[in-house]
Amino acid sequence: LDLAALGRALWARKFRILAVTLAAGVLSFLAVNMITPRYKSEARVLIENRETPYNQAQGERNMERDRTLLDAEAVQSQVQLITSRDLARQAIKQLSLAGNPEFDPVAGGFNPLTRILVLLGMQRDPLTMSPEDRILESYYDKLSAFQVPRTRVITIEFTSRDPDLAARAANVIADLYVGLRSNAKKDDARTAGVWLSSSIA
């Protein structure tokens, strides 16, 4: 390879190379400014086993066994609870997502690209879905919940074009989940209280 000849050839075409570089830079700048920004927020929840021998299910009062089950299975079960439809409906109601064009494409009207994709069969027609299903589908597209490897921590991530909504959504989902867990614990405590009262009597 003759590097000197290569250098001369590049220098002879310097204006063409400069023009292509500038055109690519301008196109990239325009593309970046046309893309709608996406904001992602996250909330983290620590899963702890605070059961006592009194509020555990009958026959499952071996604390070491419960600790192993918590490590192996219970955290993933809690992830499924966070992504459940019941909790999703509560979050959608609390965040007032109904009527938000980002979550209900029908509310904002069809854009030409969506119409073309629907006609080509590449996208499902939103009009054939109920408003709740449309909002739930968009909600789940923007929600991500997963266990941090080798920990009892669950990360809840939410993405939105609105930074305030993204931040609020992650916190609201975490709060709803914690409230759900708290109510379940209260029910367990009441059941344990009834059992202890009968045992003492």
Side-chain angles (χ1 to χ4, degrees):
L1 181 63
D2 188 348
L3 294 179
L6 179 61
R8 286 193 297 272
L10 290 174
W11 183 254
R13 293 172 177 81
K14 59 182 178 294
F15 294 112
R16 186 182 300 175
I17 294 170
L18 183 61
V20 171
T21 304
L22 287 174
V26 170
L27 289 174
S28 300
F29 178 78
L30 292 174
V32 167
N33 283 279
M34 288 175 62
I35 295 173
T36 304
R38 300 282 179 178
Y39 300 92
K40 179 185 287 185
S41 65
E42 73 172 35
R44 295 193 175 197
V45 181
L46 174 63
I47 307 299
E48 290 184 310
N49 186 3
R50 296 186 176 181
E51 291 184 343
T52 67
Y54 301 106
N55 64 3
Q56 291 175 350
Q58 191 73 20
E60 293 185 0
R61 295 183 181 163
N62 186 328
M63 297 297 286
E64 290 303 318
R65 180 187 171 195
D66 287 340
R67 189 182 306 276
T68 302
L69 288 174
L70 177 65
D71 291 339
E73 300 168 356
V75 177
Q76 284 300 321
S77 299
Q78 298 308 309
V79 171
Q80 295 303 313
L81 183 59
I82 290 171
T83 57
S84 66
R85 290 177 75 91
D86 288 338
L87 196 144
R89 290 189 184 98
Q90 294 180 44
I92 288 168
K93 184 177 180 182
Q94 197 160 331
L95 293 166
S96 304
L97 299 183
N100 186 332
E102 183 181 357
F103 292 87
D104 188 356
V106 175
F110 282 139
N111 60 46
L113 179 60
T114 302
R115 290 181 184 277
I116 293 171
L117 292 175
V118 169
L119 289 173
L120 293 175
M122 299 175 65
Q123 183 174 320
R124 187 176 176 185
D125 187 355
L127 293 175
T128 62
M129 304 166 62
S130 68
E132 182 185 37
D133 287 339
R134 288 195 301 265
I135 296 170
L136 280 169
E137 185 175 300
S138 298
Y139 171 87
Y140 282 119
D141 284 342
K142 298 174 187 341
L143 173 66
S144 177
F146 55 91
Q147 178 186 4
V148 178
R150 296 189 296 277
T151 71
R152 296 176 185 173
V153 174
I154 296 175
T155 299
I156 302 168
E157 293 183 347
F158 200 86
T159 307
S160 174
R161 295 196 297 254
D162 182 353
D164 294 330
L165 176 59
R168 280 194 305 117
N171 290 327
V172 163
I173 295 166
D175 289 341
L176 288 171
Y177 165 72
V178 170
L180 197 64
R181 289 264 300 173
S182 177
N183 291 335
K185 291 294 183 184
K186 287 177 183 176
D187 291 341
D188 289 345
R190 278 194 290 271
T191 303
V194 171
W195 179 79
L196 284 172
S197 298
S198 62
S199 297
I200 291 170

